[in-house]
């Protein structure tokens, strides 16, 4: 027996079309006009924009080992409320995910705690043994991709050597996985950080100067050059510096696949206009000036940016609400991903179709999950988000699912509330609230 989703405005790649969706056994069975309603259950989606569930490839679920910051249960509750139905979880947990046993252990730990489907990254660094065989084994064990931290970050993982990066990108082409890079040049960051410290400066502008655009540009050029040489698949996470896009544009002329992600933090904030938010928008790479932010939006609209993902990175109050220079870097946003992008679309910054492309289709493709995830094509998992474009609301602290109620979006007015979310055909969110009594998410791969 199926479920018929009736009369929604379906957001396809190139157009928004009113249609019905028939869901059978958790899959999209048919999409079309006036699909026969001989079904026991019909859900009325008239007046709703209907998108494939968002795939967020950049989430720090903090389990295992960092549960004091947040846990996977709450993170994925927040995710599904934000229209996200698939989460790719970062490997800088404790212990870091650097071997097949640790990957499998983490997978079993998180199973049963997730409100969304999920997959796990492995970390890319110098493992100490044979790099190539470890990467191959991690892929075989189900790693959805690899994450390389080129500069210091949460967990203090060392940056990979040239040999490790080269080997990973070479294998990425052969085996079809993607290597995600936190692209800031470590030496560059160290040099400018010590200079800013010596000047005794503090705050968002100082943070920008301590990790200036040059550090991103150098790192992205380095990564893109290697990717070009081996034809590999590199993904630049959380691009902060618009000028670095010239490197990306150039790299796309050759056989390499170099993708770019931008976060809501870098799209919605800069150190000039919302400087009062202070440590709440302290992230690495830093938010930059308003001119740069406008350029990032243009790159999103023009298609130069592939993905908008959250880099959702919760911390505790005592780590975040302290003196700026001592505060942990990272911001939270997963509970508002689709509403934030939908607000921008409804205000005319980007077409509505672009939201589905940036948040669902492209990330699913880049990480090998398409078309089961990230699409509403027949055969896809029925991960479906229905947004009420007429609903406006102001983000309140009380509504946050996060363990620590810290987010720069409190007080912000959003348009386009997530009304319903289906995960593999099961209604998980209805009327903007979670309606299942236990998590239904499953590990992918
Ligand atoms: Zn991150």
């Amino acid at each position: 027996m199926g479920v018929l989703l009736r009369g929604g405005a379906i957001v396809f790649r190139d157009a928004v079309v009113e249609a019905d969706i028939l869901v059978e056994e958790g899959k999209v069975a048919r999409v079309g006009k006036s699909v026969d309603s001989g079904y026991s259950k019909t859900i009325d989606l008239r007046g709703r924009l209907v998108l494939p569930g968002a795939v967020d490839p950049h989430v720090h679920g903090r389990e295992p080992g960092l549960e004091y910051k947040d846990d996977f249960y709450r993170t994925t509750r927040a995710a599904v409320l934000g229209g996200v139905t698939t989460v790719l979880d970062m490997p800088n947990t404790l212990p870091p995910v650097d071997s097949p046993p640790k990957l499998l252990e983490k997978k079993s730990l998180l199973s049963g705690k997730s409100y969304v489907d999920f997959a796990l990254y492995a970390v890319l660094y110098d493992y100490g043994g044979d790099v190539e065989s470890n990467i191959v084994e991690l892929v075989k064990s189900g790693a959805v991709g690899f994450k390389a931290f080129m500069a210091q970050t949460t967990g203090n993982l060392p940056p990979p050597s040239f040999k490790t990066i080269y080997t990973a990108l070479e294998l990425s082409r052969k085996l079809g996985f993607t290597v995600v890079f936190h692209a800031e040049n470590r030496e560059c960051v160290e040099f400018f950080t010590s200079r800013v410290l010596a000047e005794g400066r503090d705050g968002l502008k100082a943070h920008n100067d301590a990790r200036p655009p040059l550090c991103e540009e150098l790192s992205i050029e380095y990564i893109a050059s290697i990717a070009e040489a081996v034809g590999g698949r590199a993904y630049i996470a959380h691009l902060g510096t618009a000028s670095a896009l010239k490197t990306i544009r150039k790299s796309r002329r050759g056989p390499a696949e170099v993708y770019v992600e931008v976060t809501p933090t870098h799209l919605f904030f800069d150190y000039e206009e919302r400087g009062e938010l202070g440590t709440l928008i302290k992230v690495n790479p830093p938010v930059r000036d308003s001119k740069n932010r406008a350029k990032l939006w243009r790159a999103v609209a023009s298609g130069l940016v592939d993905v908008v993902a959250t880099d959702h990175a919760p911390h505790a109050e005592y780590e975040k609400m302290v003196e700026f220079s001592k505060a942990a870097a990272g911001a939270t946003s997963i509970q508002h991903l689709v509403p934030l992008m939908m607000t921008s679309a409804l205000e005319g910054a980007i077409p509505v179709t672009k939201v589905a492309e940036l948040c669902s289709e492209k990330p699913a493709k880049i990480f090998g999950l398409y078309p089961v995830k990230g699409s509403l094509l027949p055969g896809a998992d029925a991960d479906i988000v229905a947004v009420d474009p007429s609903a406006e609301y102001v983000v309140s602290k009380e509504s946050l699912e996060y363990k620590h109620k810290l987010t720069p979006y409190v007080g912000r007015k959003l348009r386009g509330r997530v009304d319903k979310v289906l995960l593999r055909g099961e209604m998980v969110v209805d009327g903007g609230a979670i309606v299942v009594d236990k998590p239904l998410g499953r590990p992918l791969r």
Side-chain angles (χ1 to χ4, degrees):
M1 221 19 152
V3 179
L4 187 66
L5 311 178
R6 190 171 276 307
I10 318 286
V11 181
F12 291 106
R13 183 166 230 276
D14 308 304
V16 180
V17 181
E18 201 170 292
D20 301 335
I21 302 176
L22 177 64
V23 174
E24 283 177 339
E25 290 170 5
K27 301 269 185 192
V28 174
R30 259 175 76 193
V31 183
K33 297 258 184 201
S34 309
V35 174
D36 186 9
S37 68
Y39 299 95
S40 60
K41 204 174 165 198
T42 299
I43 298 171
D44 184 6
L45 293 184
R46 281 173 300 173
R48 301 286 179 268
L49 286 166
V50 180
L51 301 95
V55 175
D56 189 341
H58 196 157
V59 178
H60 296 273
R62 301 305 194 201
E63 265 196 78
L66 300 165
E67 291 86 348
Y68 74 94
K69 294 179 190 283
D70 214 334
D71 54 49
F72 210 61
Y73 180 86
R74 289 173 205 258
T75 300
T76 55
R77 280 180 71 88
V80 77
L81 288 169
V84 176
T85 50
T86 300
V87 149
L88 309 190
D89 192 67
M90 284 296 167
N92 55 332
T93 39
L94 284 179
V97 180
D98 60 5
S99 67
K102 283 182 199 150
L103 183 85
L104 297 174
E105 225 167 276
K106 181 168 172 178
K107 184 165 122 180
S108 79
L109 174 80
L110 300 185
S111 296
K113 292 185 184 182
S114 184
Y115 278 81
V116 300
D117 287 351
F118 66 95
L120 303 176
Y121 287 99
V123 68
L124 182 72
Y125 54 34
D126 299 349
Y127 304 112
D130 179 36
V131 173
E132 182 164 342
S133 68
N134 202 36
I135 290 173
V136 171
E137 289 308 312
L138 278 161
V139 172
K140 278 192 200 155
S141 308
V144 73
F146 290 80
K147 173 77 181 278
F149 297 90
M150 304 297 279
Q152 157 279 328
T153 190
T154 300
N156 275 322
L157 300 175
S161 63
F162 173 80
K163 177 188 164 190
T164 296
I165 296 173
Y166 191 93
T167 307
L169 284 173
E170 215 172 25
L171 287 170
S172 74
R173 178 175 52 84
K174 285 189 206 150
L175 302 179
F177 61 82
T178 303
V179 186
V180 175
F181 289 91
H182 177 134
E184 286 184 291
N185 179 290
R186 189 186 186 108
E187 278 188 287
C188 178
V189 167
E190 284 169 0
F191 171 72
F192 285 103
T193 299
S194 60
R195 186 181 256 194
V196 167
L197 270 176
E199 289 163 1
R201 293 198 294 129
D202 206 351
L204 280 169
K205 171 73 168 74
H207 184 55
N208 172 79
D209 297 343
R211 308 171 82 107
L214 177 63
C215 302
E216 274 188 83
E217 287 166 350
L218 288 172
S219 189
I220 290 170
E221 274 168 30
Y222 178 75
I223 293 156
S225 300
I226 302 172
E228 280 168 45
V230 298
R233 286 170 69 173
Y235 177 99
I236 307 299
H238 48 49
L239 179 87
T241 294
S243 56
L245 286 162
K246 64 180 184 293
T247 306
I248 310 288
R249 201 182 272 124
K250 181 179 147 276
S251 71
R252 287 184 178 171
R253 291 189 204 122
E257 295 173 52
V258 181
Y259 301 104
V260 187
E261 165 197 289
V262 172
T263 73
T265 316
H266 294 92
L267 286 175
F268 290 98
F269 302 106
D270 55 68
Y271 67 72
E272 293 177 318
E273 279 178 32
R274 296 301 307 277
E276 79 280 5
L277 288 168
T279 58
L280 284 178
I281 52 171
K282 180 179 178 183
V283 290
N284 292 333
V287 294
R288 309 219 181 266
D289 61 20
S290 54
K291 235 162 114 187
N292 174 77
R293 190 160 75 83
K295 282 186 194 153
L296 288 181
W297 270 111
R298 281 203 288 281
V300 166
S302 74
L304 202 47
V305 168
D306 299 287
V307 172
V308 174
T310 61
D311 187 16
H312 179 80
H315 293 288
E317 270 88 357
Y318 76 86
E319 296 170 304
K320 204 67 184 153
M321 305 316 283
V322 294
E323 194 184 318
F324 194 95
S325 64
K326 297 199 173 78
T332 59
S333 58
I334 204 164
Q335 198 169 329
H336 306 103
L337 177 62
V338 170
L340 280 165
M341 295 312 290
M342 202 47 95
T343 301
S344 300
L346 293 170
E347 286 171 354
I350 48 169
V352 167
T353 48
K354 198 81 193 164
V355 179
E357 187 190 325
L358 290 162
C359 299
S360 307
E361 183 188 325
K362 278 278 194 83
K365 281 182 172 164
I366 292 167
F367 293 95
L369 305 172
Y370 188 87
V372 175
K373 299 297 187 189
S375 90
L376 294 175
L377 296 170
D381 279 357
D383 297 345
I384 297 171
V385 176
V387 170
D388 179 358
S390 66
E392 286 190 355
Y393 66 105
V394 174
V395 177
S396 71
K397 210 166 186 171
E398 302 72 54
S399 67
L400 299 174
E401 289 286 333
Y402 313 142
K403 182 174 274 183
H404 304 282
K405 314 294 180 196
L406 302 173
T407 192
Y409 301 100
V410 167
R412 196 178 188 97
K413 193 201 253 182
L414 298 178
R415 276 175 76 183
R417 194 175 65 125
V418 171
D419 174 34
K420 293 178 172 51
V421 180
L422 277 75
L423 180 68
R424 283 177 275 97
E426 297 280 342
M427 181 96 80
V428 177
V429 172
D430 195 8
I434 292 175
V435 291
V436 288
D437 48 17
K438 63 175 194 329
L440 301 177
R442 290 183 198 153
L444 301 169
R445 288 172 176 248

